[in-house]
Amino acid sequence: MGKDVAAGGESSRRPPTLPLGLRLQLIGLSAAIDAVERRDGTVNRALYSVLVEHLMSVRADPAPDAATGAVRSFDFTIDAARGLWARVFAPAAAASPAPMPVMVYYHGGGFALFSPAVAPFDGVCRRLCGEVGVVVVSVNYRLAPEHRCPAAYDDGVDALRFLDGNGIPGLDGDVPVDLASCFLAGESAGGNIVHHVANRWAATWQPTAKNLRVAGMIPVQPYFGGEERTPSELALEGVAPVVNLRRSDFSWKAFLPVSADRDHPAAHVTDENAELAEAFPPAMVVIGGFDPLKDWQWRYVDVLRRKGKAVEVAEFPDAFHGFYGFPELADAGKVLQDMRVFVQSNRAPPATA
């Protein structure tokens, strides 16, 4: 697993040199984000539909994809009235009769952008299925600012409630799943959603759940914040790709309740406002050394530890925010292996006859 170290001073190392093709992808992604985000905290949805929904999205593919371990995908509806749906990623057929663990995935995008159909997240979920060995259910939660906090958290919990009562529609029994070994995962804003959904589920729904048990959670470079500017935010401003203070402030302005500041409990998870349920699940937090948000992520880890929760850290010193979405990077493969170990270590024991 990646080296687990305490948060400290900013690194004096230069950012790692990225392949030209990857740098161009990051420039294009950043340009698309800046084009659709308005200064008033709204999103230009007309332009978004062209740049993201049309140019960056892919359809589900029920035919197995040999390039990603024969993974197939399909969509199902949870609540059509609010546009709540999910994309499933499953192997063409079960490799063994043993049920597979389930991973419920929440995509990133600053709470305001993207969906499970956007190509980078579709690709991540295919690799999670093939390399971690899980059936993935990627949730299309409602986006801000049209749907502010707590809409994404509500949708995240309701997706779990749906799975608890209905299983995974479309698998038809050819791939058995183990809902008692359900893991929550997501990166950036999705990692924030993972925390809040896991805590709500543990506090309110787990005691009466019929089938689904959240066995663990994997927030990948989770998006937390506050009014304070941390050393990593200041030192990596204009140095690290993807995340900067302006984009980060936009996301909080779009997502948090109107008039709330960044010390709102949705963003600022501290000892004072992190009321963790007794059954809060074990966590593996992924942190990148060139992520401006890393100080907030280390503080989150410290909160979990001080409150007596099981938490591991997978740190990748050369990783920028969103690194694991790019399979050409060695760390993107390494983190999947860390996830596989975490899942296998925390899944429910086999049922006895």
Side-chain angles (χ1 to χ4, degrees):
M1 184 162 291
K3 186 179 180 182
D4 184 351
V5 298
E10 287 307 307
S11 171
S12 60
R13 294 180 298 116
R14 297 182 63 183
T17 301
L18 301 175
L20 176 60
L22 177 52
R23 280 184 281 158
L24 293 175
Q25 289 183 66
L26 292 173
I27 290 171
L29 176 62
S30 297
I33 292 172
D34 290 341
V36 301
E37 293 182 345
R38 298 188 178 113
R39 292 190 177 187
D40 63 358
T42 63
V43 174
N44 184 334
R45 292 296 177 193
L47 185 57
Y48 174 85
S49 69
V50 175
L51 295 180
V52 176
E53 294 179 347
H54 179 67
L55 295 179
M56 296 179 62
S57 296
V58 296
R59 295 180 181 274
D61 187 356
D65 178 6
T68 54
V71 173
R72 56 186 167 128
S73 61
F74 57 88
D75 299 337
F76 70 87
T77 299
I78 298 173
D79 183 352
R82 56 177 146 155
L84 181 56
W85 57 273
R87 178 163 293 183
V88 177
F89 299 82
S96 74
M100 293 182 67
V102 174
M103 180 173 285
V104 179
Y105 179 85
Y106 304 95
H107 65 81
F111 305 103
L113 305 175
F114 307 136
S115 80
V118 170
F121 300 115
D122 182 276
V124 162
C125 289
R126 286 181 178 276
R127 294 191 294 277
L128 287 169
C129 177
E131 299 183 40
V132 180
V134 291
V135 171
V136 179
V137 179
S138 183
V139 178
N140 186 63
Y141 55 86
R142 288 170 293 172
L143 299 178
E146 295 86 351
H147 305 283
R148 293 178 176 271
C149 173
Y153 305 154
D154 294 342
D155 292 351
V157 170
D158 286 348
L160 299 185
R161 294 177 61 199
F162 180 92
L163 295 175
D164 181 52
N166 301 278
I168 302 177
L171 285 184
D172 300 326
D174 53 347
V175 178
V177 296
D178 178 13
L179 283 172
S181 296
C182 180
F183 294 81
L184 309 186
E187 93 289 339
S188 194
N192 175 294
I193 295 170
V194 162
H195 164 77
H196 289 285
V197 169
N199 200 33
R200 281 193 186 191
W201 184 263
T204 304
W205 299 103
Q206 190 66 77
T208 58
K210 299 175 183 177
N211 302 295
L212 190 146
R213 167 182 166 268
V214 174
M217 51 177 265
I218 307 176
V220 180
Q221 299 176 286
Y223 182 39
F224 297 114
E227 285 296 297
E228 173 194 353
R229 301 299 194 188
T230 67
S232 64
E233 286 178 308
L234 295 173
L236 293 174
E237 178 71 3
V239 176
V242 182
V243 172
N244 60 31
L245 292 173
R246 178 175 52 79
R247 294 180 191 133
S248 184
D249 289 352
F250 168 89
S251 296
W252 292 126
K253 184 175 182 179
F255 177 66
L256 294 174
V258 175
S259 78
D261 65 23
R262 295 189 301 271
D263 287 337
H264 187 280
H268 198 51
V269 179
T270 64
D271 285 331
E272 292 73 26
N273 60 27
E275 297 180 1
L276 301 183
E278 183 177 351
F280 191 85
M284 185 185 94
V285 182
V286 178
I287 299 176
F290 281 97
D291 182 356
L293 302 177
K294 68 177 182 178
D295 284 351
W296 293 116
Q297 295 154 7
W298 277 112
R299 292 181 188 187
Y300 174 64
V301 169
D302 288 342
V303 168
L304 296 185
R305 286 174 172 165
R306 286 196 298 270
K307 290 184 175 291
K309 305 305 179 183
V311 56
E312 303 172 16
V313 176
E315 188 188 30
F316 297 87
D318 291 334
F320 59 88
H321 192 82
F323 77 99
Y324 93 133
F326 300 92
E328 59 266 47
L329 297 175
D331 284 344
K334 292 175 184 177
V335 72
L336 295 182
Q337 295 309 307
D338 287 350
M339 291 180 180
R340 184 181 183 91
V341 171
F342 179 80
V343 167
Q344 294 302 320
S345 299
N346 289 280
R347 66 176 304 181
T352 56

